[in-house]
Amino acid sequence: MNHLLIAPVVLPALVAPFIIMVVRHHLDLQRIFSVASTVLLAAISLTLAAQAADGSVQVYELGDWPAPFGIVLVLDRLAGMMLVLTSFLALPVLLYAIGTGWDTRGSNFHALFQFQLMGILGAFLTGDAFNLFVFFEVLLIASYGLMIHSGGPRRFTAGVQYVVYNLLGSTLFLFALGTIYAVTGTLNMADLAVKVAELAPGDTALLRAGAAMLLLVFAIKAALLPLHFWLPAAYANAPMPVAALFAIMTKVGAYAILRVFTLIFGPEVSATEGLSENWLLPAALLTLGAGAIGIIGARHIGRLMAFGVITSMGTLLTAVSLFTEASTAAALYYLVHSTLAAALLFLVADLVIERQGSLIEAQSPMPQSGLIAALYFTGAIALAGMPPLSGFLGKLLVLDATRDAAHAPWIWGVVLSGSLVTIVGLARAGSQLFWKAHAIPAAEPAQLEPLAADLLPVHMAPAPRRLPFAACSAILTGLVALTVFAGPATRYAEATAAQLYAPAEYIDTVLGESEQ
């Protein structure tokens, strides 16, 4: 067995309690261990992704217990891609939080950050449906702690709503797992694929109910309409660096849909025929439309970015819902792009909020307004899907993959109109924040009353910091690289999609380990 396979779970699981128990009173040491752990995670993820790039599937059996009785971690192309995306997003987000001092505004930021990575990476690696639930709960607990970091009544209220809503989803997840286990007697994903395919048509009613509940759970995690209500308030009120990391959390839901509904309940499985297509596609299109409307109506920059996430998830799940190799390959390329674009815009939103507050309105020019404006408009171009960045290529791939679909006119109409509305909404916000601001003269501190001079807004304080801008530039570099190397990235996505729709090697590798 390749013991490196368990490192993305074990490393943050060890570093987080070490930070809490040993260096909790030494912020500099917390930062050193957290950054070192995240850098090491990035190197490990890159190594594992390189090992999976040839199409091989690797299995790690915890405690040397064979599948389907023991817990297994499984590495294939999709898992490797998600590991790299998560770890290379986490590093600039962590550096940004350190550079802006967000990690000093509450307790245990770095420990919670590591636990969050543990939950996300574990969800991508697990080969067992119950342990997928376990890792969902780990990232839920850590994300709640990060969301209410630095306190405040609005943040606390949004955090409680987020937890309550997701706990209801977790309860539904347990019901789904219990139902599926009652029918099949297993929760190992590879073993489930075998058992489900062998079920007689007359014994599938309960299994279909379990699959439907699973789809609802994953739709909650992916913020799919009408189950998306938790996201705008949660992301808008969370610290913006935390929201930038959360850009990968909705992708966990999309990943789970892809994994479960290609491996276990694939398009050829009669027990769940039509389940995803009849509900997932309309919901994805409605999600895209609702997100675009939210963007054009947003009055606070945090909510603007939150609705941007909803819009991108609508586009992503539109491609996923067709469950063809071409649409899945397009979805995977767009998944990487949308994660980076949303994270960049959340960090830019924090730069704006730090200088002039969250309200989208014309104020006097903020410090470093030119650089922040360039980052904002580059991120907006990427998120809206305008050329020349990867968002345009991603949406073009999605549209091309859906042109032969039965509902192609609806898909093209909603995607294109949603893109237009998104462009208008992001441009309106940008003109208010950066263009019209130059028509308003900057207030001089000397003209203020003595009491007001002691309460100067942050945007009048000097001391520009370079690390936050370096972190934003790193994510922007990722978007540029995804555009420049669109050919290799697309070919990798196509190979990953082909592997997903030919799960025989995955199943044989996982279950075959017990026979060796």
Side-chain angles (χ1 to χ4, degrees), residues 7-12 35-47 83-84 87-88 90 114 117-118 121:
V9 178
V10 170
L11 179 61
V35 171
S37 173
T38 308
V39 170
L40 189 54
L41 274 178
I44 292 170
S45 299
L46 200 59
T47 303
L83 292 179
V84 170
S87 56
F88 277 85
Q114 295 299 315
L117 292 181
M118 172 194 170
L121 297 175

Side-chain angles (χ1 to χ4, degrees), residues 296-368:
I296 205 167
R299 293 295 177 265
H300 294 268
I301 190 166
R303 292 187 70 85
L304 177 76
M305 304 315 174
F307 279 110
V309 172
I310 293 175
T311 303
S312 65
M313 287 306 300
T315 305
L316 171 62
L317 291 173
T318 295
V320 169
S321 66
L322 298 180
F323 288 102
T324 65
E325 285 191 24
S327 67
T328 300
L332 293 175
Y333 182 89
Y334 186 80
L335 182 152
V336 177
H337 154 79
S338 60
T339 302
L340 297 177
L344 172 62
L345 284 175
F346 275 120
L347 297 186
V348 172
D350 187 68
L351 294 173
V352 173
I353 293 171
E354 182 185 31
R355 288 158 175 76
Q356 68 175 38
S358 64
L359 193 63
I360 299 176
E361 62 179 8
Q363 302 181 35
S364 56
M366 67 185 79
Q368 301 94 40

Side-chain angles (χ1 to χ4, degrees), residues 122-265:
F124 293 142
L125 282 172
T126 184
D128 185 275
F130 181 78
N131 285 288
L132 181 62
F133 164 79
V134 171
F135 285 118
F136 271 17
E137 295 311 295
V138 171
L139 67 89
L140 172 63
I141 295 169
S143 63
Y144 174 69
L146 289 172
M147 182 179 298
I148 63 172
H149 181 75
S150 84
R154 292 181 59 185
R155 187 166 291 142
F156 182 78
T157 300
V160 170
Q161 293 172 348
Y162 164 79
V163 167
V164 170
Y165 197 75
N166 278 273
L167 283 178
L168 292 175
S170 299
T171 304
L172 186 62
F173 200 167
L174 283 177
F175 284 141
L177 294 178
T179 302
I180 292 172
Y181 187 82
V183 177
T184 61
T186 184
L187 289 176
N188 179 277
M189 292 184 187
D191 199 34
L192 272 173
V194 174
K195 297 289 179 60
V196 167
E198 294 174 349
L199 279 178
D203 300 330
T204 58
L206 196 57
L207 180 67
R208 186 177 180 85
M213 286 189 284
L214 271 187
L215 186 58
L216 286 174
V217 171
F218 300 151
I220 292 174
K221 303 298 181 182
L224 194 66
L225 192 140
L227 305 171
H228 72 296
F229 296 108
W230 61 272
L231 190 146
Y235 280 39
N237 289 292
M240 290 295 103
V242 172
L245 180 63
F246 284 5
I248 193 69
M249 279 212 320
T250 50
K251 308 307 186 296
V252 177
Y255 165 87
I257 292 174
L258 267 177
R259 177 67 76 191
V260 170
F261 286 88
T262 56
L263 176 62
I264 303 171
F265 306 112

Side-chain angles (χ1 to χ4, degrees), residues 15-16 19 27 30-32 34-35 94 97-98 103-104 107-115 146 149:
V15 172
I19 290 174
L27 179 61
Q30 290 183 43
R31 289 173 169 176
I32 290 171
S34 186
V35 171
L94 178 60
I98 293 172
D103 61 336
T104 66
S107 302
N108 302 317
F109 176 87
H110 292 285
L112 290 169
F113 193 91
Q114 295 299 315
F115 277 128
L146 289 172
H149 181 75

